[in-house]
Amino acid sequence: LLLDLTLFPHELPEGEGKEEERYASFCRSLLAELKGSIPALRFRLSAFALWGPKMLGLLPELTKEAAALGYYVLLDAPEADSPELAAFGAESLLGPGSPYACDGVVLPMYAGNDVLQQYLPYCKKGNKDVFALCRTANKSASELQDLLSGSRLAHMAIADQVARCAAPLMGKYGYACLGLTAAAGQSSSIKTLRTKYPGLFLLVDGVDLPGGNMKNVSLAFDKLGRGAVYCSGRAVTCAWRQAEGMSAVDAAVAEAERQKNALQRYVTFL
């Protein structure tokens, strides 16, 4: 489980203080209580920026605190439509002077391969990971991402391009530090991605959305239960809304455990 800590103001548990303070308190409590139970966290830079300057200033602190607790930290990179902007983003997020303590990024790259290329040196030298946006989980994604591009769907054209770049970046366990995103509501797409690209790690998004389920998620893992991670957000962070008599943190911990057990119905992790 990769826990997405994106929350909007109206989704915060009730409490005292300003919205930024309540978010920080809730987030830090989750970090403490989920330590050892889940391995990874996801922060979306754009969401923090839209909250405002105080929240954007909080993000580096949270990534460092999460890293200190032993979490794998993934940060969503901003959109870039030029190599120069992508290079600036890569250095700012993954470079040695970055204020963010992150192990990798999720990269929008429908602008083209020259965006991805700016991040690859950090994979080689900095031991960082990049997950390229391939198939997203939003409802209207099929309008563009499932269009035919020659004999391929558009998102498979992205996957082919990523696979070519990943060839020299393979790790000792058979997976590259360059991976792909997949959609939890699209079982056929996940099957194809897992079969066609056995060396690409998959990040399955959208298990919180209609159509997303653990049976579909399980298709992303290999026979040893490796090669994939799935992202869950509001189902965990907003579990308090359906959990009467439980604190927001306890409800989140219980939901994370429920999801873990649900996935293990389909996948054996060796």
Side-chain angles (χ1 to χ4, degrees):
L1 167 58
L2 170 73
L3 179 60
D4 187 343
L5 287 169
T6 302
L7 281 168
F8 300 113
H10 68 276
E11 295 174 330
L12 291 173
E14 295 182 359
E16 298 181 356
K18 297 181 179 179
E19 290 173 344
E20 296 89 347
E21 296 169 344
R22 288 161 53 204
Y23 175 86
S25 176
F26 182 46
C27 185
R28 286 176 169 132
S29 295
L30 287 177
L31 294 184
E33 293 300 319
L34 289 169
K35 179 183 177 182
S37 177
I38 68 169
L41 303 170
R42 182 179 185 179
F43 298 95
R44 297 179 189 257
L45 184 61
S46 59
F48 279 80
L50 291 170
W51 270 70
K54 290 184 179 180
M55 280 290 283
L56 192 57
L58 176 65
L59 180 56
E61 296 178 22
L62 291 177
T63 62
K64 292 173 183 175
E65 291 171 22
L69 288 170
Y71 289 101
Y72 177 97
V73 179
L74 194 64
L75 189 63
D76 278 39
E79 185 74 57
D81 58 0
S82 71
E84 294 79 12
L85 183 56
F88 181 57
E91 177 65 21
S92 299
L93 300 179
L94 301 179
S98 173
Y100 307 102
C102 65
D103 299 286
V105 297
V106 177
L107 179 65
M109 59 162 291
Y110 272 85
N113 186 52
D114 54 2
V115 170
L116 175 62
Q117 290 295 327
Q118 310 310 313
Y119 284 80
L120 297 186
Y122 301 91
C123 297
K124 296 176 181 178
K125 297 180 181 179
N127 197 31
K128 301 295 185 178
D129 301 319
V130 174
F131 289 92
L133 278 180
C134 174
R135 182 56 163 85
T136 60
N138 55 303
K139 185 178 180 180
S140 63
S142 61
E143 295 175 3
L144 296 176
Q145 296 170 26
D146 291 348
L147 292 176
L148 280 175
S149 174
S151 60
R152 306 169 294 180
L153 298 181
H155 75 272
M156 296 304 295
I158 289 286
D160 285 343
Q161 192 174 72
V162 170
R164 289 192 292 271
C165 294
L169 300 172
M170 301 301 295
K172 65 180 180 179
Y173 295 110
Y175 285 94
C177 53
L178 180 57
L180 298 168
T181 67
Q186 301 295 319
S187 60
S188 60
S189 175
I190 297 174
K191 283 182 181 179
T192 302
L193 291 171
R194 178 72 292 147
T195 301
K196 189 174 181 181
Y197 310 104
L200 297 185
F201 209 92
L202 300 181
L203 190 166
V204 186
D205 212 348
V207 73
D208 306 293
L209 301 178
N213 57 66
M214 290 302 175
K215 185 176 181 180
N216 288 352
V217 168
S218 70
L219 300 173
F221 293 87
D222 65 19
K223 294 179 180 179
L224 298 177
R226 299 174 181 173
V229 63
Y230 79 93
C231 183
S232 181
R234 293 177 183 82
V236 175
T237 55
C238 295
W240 57 272
R241 290 179 168 179
Q242 285 80 39
E244 295 184 8
M246 297 179 69
S247 71
V249 174
D250 287 343
V253 172
E255 173 60 19
E257 189 65 25
R258 186 199 68 79
Q259 291 187 16
K260 182 190 301 183
N261 293 333
L263 182 58
Q264 289 176 340
R265 291 175 54 196
Y266 302 101
V267 182
T268 299
F269 297 98
L270 301 177

